Amino acid sequence: MIRNTVLVIFLGLMSYSAGASESAESLLSIASNSGMLNDLAPELKVAGTLTLMSFLPIALIAMTAFTRIIIVLSMLRHALGLQQTPPNMVILTLSLFLTFYTMLPVWEKVEDNAIRPYAAQEIELEAAIEEGAVYVKQFMISQTREEDFEAVLSMANVTVPNDVENVSFSYLVPAFLLSELTTAFKIAFVIFIPFLLVDLVVASVLMSLGMIMLPPISIALPIKVMLFVLIDGWALVSQSLVSSFS
């Protein structure tokens, strides 16, 4: 039962992310064909499908580029000295679009080799899951550091396998998240440096002028915003984030 649930959530995420126009209906069909909802009334089938769909955001965060992107964009906002600008909803929306651009090659492979053959009833559900999981696992492995992978296996008291491609998602997902957090903080550190230099220069100038009572942030903030806009910072950061996964 648990295994089927994981398979349905995974394939539902792939069909939803690939642009399926009727994702709820597709997820319901997948769940029914997997034997999870066969014995339930239609109303309970709908409720079960909606429950499964509530796990899609978790899969999006745990198995895609979303974590790295949203952390970097959020810390960029703090580096600029802006607390609520851009708003969280804007940061979230931009992160979703950048995630879509980053994961599009993976999702296209999953759609072509797993979702469409399954929808055409050319392959079974488990075969579609196994085929689609290969491409997602390849992406996650390519972005996972060996140190984080070994740390997760150590926490789980599992020996390091000879072939990393045969590792279960239960070990690969947390290792992938740890690597994404580490990479995101490294990128954010590099972003913080120029803004920190602006703060130091402004504070030094104000101190030399004897303007001790004037908060440096009131002068540094517009300067940082102006410089960031002049270099087209949002586009540069977005392009750098997408290219960091290649």
Side-chain angles (χ1 to χ4, degrees), residues 117-186:
Y118 174 74
Q121 298 182 350
E122 297 175 358
I123 59 176
E124 298 294 333
L125 174 64
E126 293 192 5
I129 292 296
E130 293 176 358
E131 184 68 25
V134 170
Y135 303 104
V136 178
K137 184 178 290 188
Q138 288 176 352
F139 167 80
M140 296 175 66
I141 291 175
S142 66
Q143 302 298 325
T144 303
R145 301 190 312 158
E146 183 178 352
E147 298 85 351
D148 295 325
F149 187 70
E150 292 178 352
V152 171
L153 294 179
S154 176
M155 288 185 286
N157 293 324
V158 177
T159 58
V160 179
N162 296 327
D163 189 0
V164 70
E165 294 183 357
N166 295 326
V167 176
S168 172
F169 272 104
S170 59
Y171 305 127
L172 181 58
V173 170
F176 172 75
L177 284 176
L178 290 177
S179 297
E180 288 298 283
L181 289 173
T182 302
T183 304
F185 274 73
K186 288 180 179 179

Side-chain angles (χ1 to χ4, degrees), residues 212-231:
I212 303 177
M213 300 302 294
L214 181 64
I217 187 63
S218 61
I219 305 297
L221 179 58
I223 294 177
K224 290 189 291 187
V225 172
M226 179 188 66
L227 293 176
F228 191 69
V229 172
L230 288 177
I231 64 173

Side-chain angles (χ1 to χ4, degrees), residues 199 201-223:
D199 290 332
V201 170
V202 170
S204 300
V205 171
L206 292 179
M207 287 286 290
S208 63
L209 295 177
M211 304 174 67
I212 303 177
M213 300 302 294
L214 181 64
I217 187 63
S218 61
I219 305 297
L221 179 58
I223 294 177

